[in-house]
């Protein structure tokens, strides 16, 4: 039997506000426990929440970016449950009337085709606090700094069909919130967390199977691996006569397995009701227009522009726009070196490799965009070969100066003096009689070897095109 995988994601993006969604306490990450929790976040009796206007603006911006309807009226609701890090006994969220309605995003699949993923809704809610199980001997600590931090929960339709599609979709949302600058996207700090709902069904079956929910995945790799494991677990279970239970499971990256956390609660368990402390939100068009007035260029538009303006493939443009800072970097390099293909190859090749080796983000690259642009200009105008440029790049990375200084200091200029090249060519012809004979008797491929010998002799500094021409002439 063939099975089809069905996945829907719920993503929590922490909104970039200075203060909490319903109080004035700060949202800065990493402060001493409970130093950023005020009486509202502690849920003391008699306190009242006051909505943070900026959180609303950021949610509206997101809705606009995914072509969603912004609800004219939306309502905050209490979601009731008991948890030690939720002192009020309920979380303020949105239920029947979320702020952002149905929208969509486009993802690029491995075979370079596109797929539209529908977004069901996005709503505002507050985060809970944190239980610290590891730091205190036999005790659990409660840190309420995170309580009341604004979250945007983005819920997709069950449109995803593989772990790769799920991760492409999650990356897309991650990219959009960062372009919009509404979330810092920091996954280690929990600013962007994903829950994956996973089910399987016989291929061709219209009805959805029973799903499990994999909670709080905080890397794209774990997201893929957790889904992979879970799909196999469900297939094995059903094929051996069992049934999938609707439940919440946790992924353990160390063992690469998922294990049950609790049976899935139903909506009615939460006793949702409109929060009587907060007025419904009602927008007039001016508010919405102002919120979306100065949106930055969004990833899809930028990807399209890079393809036309710089003649890049969709694949390259997609990679380069995966992150706004990377796209800015590329455009600066391409403009300076006047050769966009060269710029794209270097940014995605040499530069990315150097960043990975040093575990650095593009924003802290040791060679900045202007410096790389100047280096590539020297390939473009044939001062140096691509191979020599790699040596220069390494020296730049080590802080030995800019491209021109290094080329000058180390005498790396490409030799374009035809006399000098001719001498080297003669020398190689004299020392490789066998290969010369082979070439003359029609083995064209040997030319590559001879060119290589000349390049070696000139320490890579001869202009390869000239070497080629001279060799052919002399051997004829
Ligand atoms: P809840 O709020 O209880 O988690 P929702 O109905 O809002 O439930 O669905 C949450 C997510 O689960 C959505 O992303 C949705 O696409 C996904 N989903 C729902 N049913 C299935 C299913 N059978 N298989 C996979 N994903 C599903
Ligand atoms: Mg859910």
């Amino acid at each position: 039997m063939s099975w089809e995988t069905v996945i829907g994601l719920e993503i929590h993006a922490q909104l970039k506000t200075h203060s909490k969604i319903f109080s004035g306490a700060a949202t800065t990450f990493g402060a001493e426990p409970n130093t950023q929790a005020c009486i509202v976040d502690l849920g003391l009796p008699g306190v009242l929440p006051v909505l943070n206007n900026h959180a609303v603006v950021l949610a509206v911006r997101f809705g606009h970016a995914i072509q969603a309807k912004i609800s004219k009226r939306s309502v905050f609701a209490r979601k009731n449950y008991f948890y030690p890090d939720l002192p009020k006994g309920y979380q303020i969220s949105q239920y029947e009337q979320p702020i952002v309605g149905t929208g969509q995003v486009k993802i690029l699949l491995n075979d370079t085709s596109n797929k539209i993923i529908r977004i069901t809704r996005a709503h505002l809610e507050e985060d809970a606090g944190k239980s610290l199980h590891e730091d205190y001997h036999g005790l659990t600590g409660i840190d309420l700094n995170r309580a009341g931090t604004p979250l945007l929960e983005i819920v997709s339709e069950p449109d995803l069909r593989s772990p790769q599609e799920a991760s492409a979709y999650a990356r897309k949302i991650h990219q959009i919130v960062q372009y919009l600058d509404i979330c810092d996207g920091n996954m280690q700090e929990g600013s962007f967390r994903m829950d994956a709902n996973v089910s399987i069904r016989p291929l061709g079956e219209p009805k959805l199977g029973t799903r499990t929910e994999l909670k709080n995945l905080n890397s794209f790799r774990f997201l893929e691996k957790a889904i992979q494991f879970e799909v196999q677990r469900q297939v094995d279970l059903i094929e051996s006569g069992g049934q999938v239970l609707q439940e919440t499971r946790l992924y353990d990256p160390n063992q690469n397995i998922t294990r049950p956390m609790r049976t899935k609660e139903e909506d009615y368990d939460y006793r949702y009701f409109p929060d009587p402390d907060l007025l419904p939100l009602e927008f007039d068009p001016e508010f919405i227009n102002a919120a979306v007035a100065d949106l930055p260029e969004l990833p899809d538009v930028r990807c399209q522009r890079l393809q036309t303006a710089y003649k890049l493939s969709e694949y390259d443009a997609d990679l380069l726009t995966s992150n706004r800072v990377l796209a800015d970097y590329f455009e600066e390099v391409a403009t300076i070196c006047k050769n966009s293909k060269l710029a794209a190859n270097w940014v995605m090749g040499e530069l990315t490799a150097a960043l990975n080796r040093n575990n650095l983000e593009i924003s802290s690259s040791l060679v900045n965009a202007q410096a790389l642009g100047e280096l590539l200009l020297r390939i473009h105008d044939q001062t140096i070969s691509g191979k020599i440029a790699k040596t220069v790049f390494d020296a730049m990375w080590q802080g030995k100066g800019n491209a021109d200084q290094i080329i000058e200091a180390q005498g790396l200029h490409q030799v374009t003096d035809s006399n000098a090249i001719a001498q080297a060519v003669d020398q190689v012809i004299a020392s490789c009689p066998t290969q010369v004979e082979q070439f003359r008797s029609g083995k064209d491929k040997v030319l590559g070897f001879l060119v290589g010998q000349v390049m070696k002799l000139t320490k890579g500094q001869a202009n390869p095109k000239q070497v080629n021409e001279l060799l052919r002439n002399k051997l004829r």
Side-chain angles (χ1 to χ4, degrees):
M1 164 108 56
S2 315
W3 297 98
E4 181 177 46
T5 301
V6 176
I7 305 156
L9 293 191
E10 294 163 272
I11 295 178
H12 288 94
Q14 184 180 317
L15 294 173
K16 237 175 159 179
T17 58
H18 293 298
S19 56
K20 305 255 172 103
I21 183 167
F22 300 118
S23 84
T27 52
T28 328
F29 180 82
E32 280 292 296
N34 300 310
T35 54
Q36 293 183 166
C38 70
I39 51 176
V40 173
D41 310 319
L42 297 178
L44 296 191
V47 298
L48 288 173
V50 177
L51 179 60
N52 182 334
N53 181 67
H54 195 53
V56 177
V57 169
L58 300 185
V60 170
R61 286 165 83 85
F62 178 77
H64 191 75
I66 60 159
Q67 300 156 44
K69 271 218 191 68
I70 309 297
S71 312
K72 284 218 175 61
R73 181 189 161 93
S74 67
V75 171
F76 286 100
R78 290 188 181 180
K79 182 179 184 181
N80 297 280
Y81 59 97
F82 174 77
Y83 220 70
D85 54 24
L86 186 73
K88 292 199 296 293
Y90 61 86
Q91 176 193 25
I92 306 178
S93 180
Q94 297 191 304
Y95 183 50
E96 284 158 328
Q97 292 174 275
I99 180 166
V100 175
T102 53
Q104 59 175 59
V105 293
K106 194 175 78 180
I107 61 170
L108 184 62
L109 304 178
N110 284 341
D111 65 359
T112 72
S113 63
N114 287 305
K115 181 171 176 180
I116 299 289
I117 307 300
R118 293 168 301 159
I119 291 176
T120 318
R121 58 188 270 155
H123 64 254
L124 281 167
E125 62 183 27
E126 59 178 344
D127 208 344
K130 243 188 221 163
S131 298
L132 310 170
H133 300 293
E134 275 126 42
D135 307 351
Y136 307 94
H137 238 32
L139 297 170
T140 291
I142 302 288
D143 177 7
L144 292 174
N145 282 351
R146 204 178 62 184
T149 300
L151 299 177
L152 188 65
E153 176 169 340
I154 304 154
V155 183
S156 85
E157 289 290 308
D159 284 351
L160 302 156
R161 291 290 173 270
S162 68
Q164 295 72 31
E165 283 187 20
S167 121
Y169 163 78
R171 283 171 205 269
K172 190 76 196 208
I173 298 292
H174 189 246
Q175 180 191 37
I176 291 173
V177 296
Q178 287 196 294
Y179 266 71
L180 291 172
D181 201 25
I182 65 172
C183 167
D184 68 21
N186 190 324
M187 300 178 85
Q188 275 89 49
E189 292 180 2
S191 305
F192 190 93
R193 323 191 280 267
M194 301 162 286
D195 302 339
N197 295 272
V198 181
S199 67
I200 59 167
R201 61 182 171 188
L203 202 60
E205 161 71 49
K207 242 179 64 216
L208 292 176
T210 304
R211 71 178 143 134
T212 57
E213 182 175 6
L214 313 177
K215 272 277 179 210
N216 274 335
L217 298 158
N218 66 354
S219 89
F220 299 120
R221 203 165 60 88
F222 290 165
L223 173 72
E224 280 190 41
K225 293 190 117 185
I227 296 172
Q228 245 160 32
F229 173 87
E230 182 58 18
V231 168
Q232 195 54 52
R233 189 189 70 85
Q234 293 186 9
V235 169
D236 293 345
L237 190 62
I238 294 176
E239 287 186 347
S240 62
Q243 263 187 335
V244 175
L245 285 181
Q246 181 159 333
E247 64 187 356
T248 301
R249 299 177 70 90
L250 275 186
Y251 176 65
D252 175 350
N254 296 322
Q255 294 182 54
N256 189 31
I257 55 167
T258 66
R259 58 165 84 88
M261 179 160 108
R262 55 171 189 251
T263 55
K264 172 85 183 146
E265 51 301 297
E266 296 292 343
D267 281 355
Y268 53 70
D269 293 325
Y270 287 120
R271 297 295 188 268
Y272 279 102
F273 66 91
D275 193 312
D277 290 341
L278 287 156
L279 289 170
L281 289 176
E282 279 190 15
F283 298 132
D284 42 38
E286 292 88 83
F287 176 81
I288 308 238
N289 291 342
V292 302
D294 53 350
L295 282 193
E297 185 181 33
L298 288 166
D300 282 354
V301 178
R302 191 164 197 183
C303 179
Q304 197 57 55
R305 181 170 62 78
L306 290 200
Q307 289 173 58
T308 30
Y310 298 97
K311 311 238 168 356
L312 297 180
S313 68
E314 183 177 12
Y315 181 84
D316 287 356
D318 188 68
L319 242 162
L320 288 167
T321 45
S322 62
N323 156 340
R324 193 170 155 185
V325 187
L326 182 67
D328 291 344
Y329 189 106
F330 161 74
E331 288 206 64
E332 192 177 341
V333 174
T335 310
I336 295 173
C337 80
K338 302 175 187 143
N339 184 331
S340 51
K341 190 67 200 153
L342 194 61
N345 287 343
W346 271 75
V347 170
M348 290 183 298
E350 214 64 22
L351 177 77
T352 303
L355 291 171
N356 289 345
R357 269 198 305 276
N358 293 272
N359 217 346
L360 288 175
E361 296 285 327
I362 179 89
S363 51
S364 28
S365 171
L366 300 185
V367 172
N368 67 27
Q370 164 146 14
L372 182 59
E374 288 167 3
L375 169 64
L376 302 190
L377 184 60
R378 293 297 167 250
I379 304 180
H380 184 68
D381 68 15
Q382 299 197 359
T383 307
I384 54 174
S385 67
K387 204 165 158 221
I388 293 285
K390 291 185 182 171
T391 315
V392 180
F393 178 81
D394 288 341
M396 288 165 68
W397 192 266
Q398 289 158 30
K400 295 193 177 147
N402 66 31
D404 285 347
Q405 290 164 343
I406 293 164
I407 293 169
E408 192 56 47
Q410 304 190 16
L412 296 172
H413 287 102
Q414 186 154 265
V415 178
T416 46
D417 169 358
S418 23
N419 281 334
I421 296 179
Q423 256 178 28
V425 166
D426 289 341
Q427 219 173 313
V428 168
I429 290 177
S431 62
C432 303
T434 328
Q435 284 82 359
V436 168
E437 203 37 57
Q438 286 173 339
F439 180 79
R440 285 193 169 131
S441 61
K443 261 184 105 183
D444 240 35
K445 269 201 201 137
V446 190
L447 190 71
F449 169 81
L450 295 170
V451 171
Q453 293 303 303
V454 178
M455 293 307 288
K456 215 166 164 185
L457 202 61
T458 57
K459 300 200 185 73
Q461 285 171 249
N463 178 318
K465 212 167 133 225
Q466 273 176 295
V467 173
N468 233 291
E469 278 166 15
L470 264 173
L471 260 172
R472 275 187 192 281
N473 285 339
K474 296 207 180 220
L475 290 174
R476 212 170 267 145

